[in-house]
Amino acid sequence: MTTSDQLLGWVREFARQVTEHRDELTALDSAIGDADHGINMARGMGAVVEALEANPPATAGAAFKQVGMTLVSKVGGASGPLYGTLFLRFGTAAGEVTELDPAGFAKAFRAGLEGVVARGRPEAGDKTMYDALAPALDALDEALAGGGSLGDALRAASAAADAGRDATIPMLARKGRASYLGERSVGHQDPGATSAALLVAAAAATLG
Ligand code: ADP
Ligand code: MG
């Protein structure tokens, strides 16, 4: 079982990682976007951590809804509403509980990805965060179905997210700002897929 406190440890670790990688995320976005992805994510996740400290939520559902609302309200651009929706849907799917079993965790994360799809309409190969998250969640489900522990499943998911992130390099962007570049988006790693791989890596580091 994963407790709400452990789940919040995941959120704090994601905040730490996007802050550590802020300049790298922004440099990736300067190549195919408007050079704000690291700034957006570090500011947004900083606000999330402050809000969690100021107003500690009682359940996983309440916590993730608060995380999502903070991102939606504090982060402009594409990534605020997209990550905000991911966490909001995670919270709704998790429900007013203080523990999640591995299947419940995977189900909530899947609901979060479905929220990203509902909001941004990304498809596989569009060169977005979806290209890191979708293979990660498939790997998570597969490892859990095979009887693996949550830790093993998250390590498999993190490897799949990293591979999905790397696979965005040759892709032609079909969503978001990078799509305005057409062929010139080819050859660059997607910033959102890079932060999404950090989200999965943070889960493997804290919930494994
Ligand atoms: P903006 O593009 O508004 O400046 P960010 O730079 O913070 O926002 O985030 C850009 C990232 O958002 C992209 O690298 C991509 O992964 C993701 N993204 C953009 N549009 C979409 C979309 N429609 N669906 C999924 N992800 C998207
Ligand atoms: Mg940007």
Side-chain angles (χ1 to χ4, degrees):
M1 291 298 249
T2 304
T3 66
S4 304
D5 279 352
Q6 289 170 321
L7 291 167
L8 289 176
W10 169 35
V11 172
R12 278 192 291 270
E13 175 61 13
F14 180 49
R16 195 191 68 72
Q17 291 204 22
V18 293
T19 303
E20 185 177 304
H21 293 270
R22 178 180 54 210
D23 294 349
E24 177 198 339
L25 294 171
T26 292
L28 291 170
D29 197 33
S30 77
I32 56 169
D34 57 353
D36 64 358
H37 188 59
I39 297 161
N40 285 342
M41 293 304 298
R43 202 191 50 230
M45 290 307 298
V48 161
V49 169
E50 271 178 34
L52 289 173
E53 268 160 30
N55 182 18
T59 65
F64 281 84
K65 284 182 223 165
Q66 183 178 319
V67 171
M69 290 302 293
T70 304
L71 287 177
V72 169
S73 63
K74 297 277 158 119
V75 183
S79 57
L82 288 165
Y83 275 107
T85 304
L86 189 159
F87 286 116
L88 277 168
R89 296 280 184 101
F90 187 104
T92 304
E96 303 313 311
V97 297
T98 54
E99 287 185 333
L100 280 182
D101 63 11
F105 175 83
K107 195 171 149 233
F109 210 157
R110 174 75 58 187
L113 177 64
E114 283 164 2
V116 170
V117 171
R119 184 110 202 182
R121 305 268 159 219
E123 290 175 25
D126 281 352
K127 195 179 183 99
T128 71
M129 58 176 70
Y130 181 88
D131 291 306
L133 291 172
L137 293 195
D138 289 347
L140 182 70
D141 288 344
E142 197 185 320
L144 291 177
S149 68
L150 183 62
D152 288 342
L154 283 170
R155 281 181 281 279
S158 182
D162 287 355
R165 169 202 66 202
D166 294 347
T168 64
I169 296 172
M171 289 175 186
L172 182 105
R174 288 200 202 83
K175 289 287 182 317
R177 254 173 227 288
S179 67
Y180 309 156
L181 292 178
E183 290 288 344
R184 280 183 295 138
S185 65
V186 172
H188 300 281
Q189 184 173 306
D190 181 61
T194 308
S195 57
L198 295 177
L199 178 64
V200 185
T206 51
L207 306 177

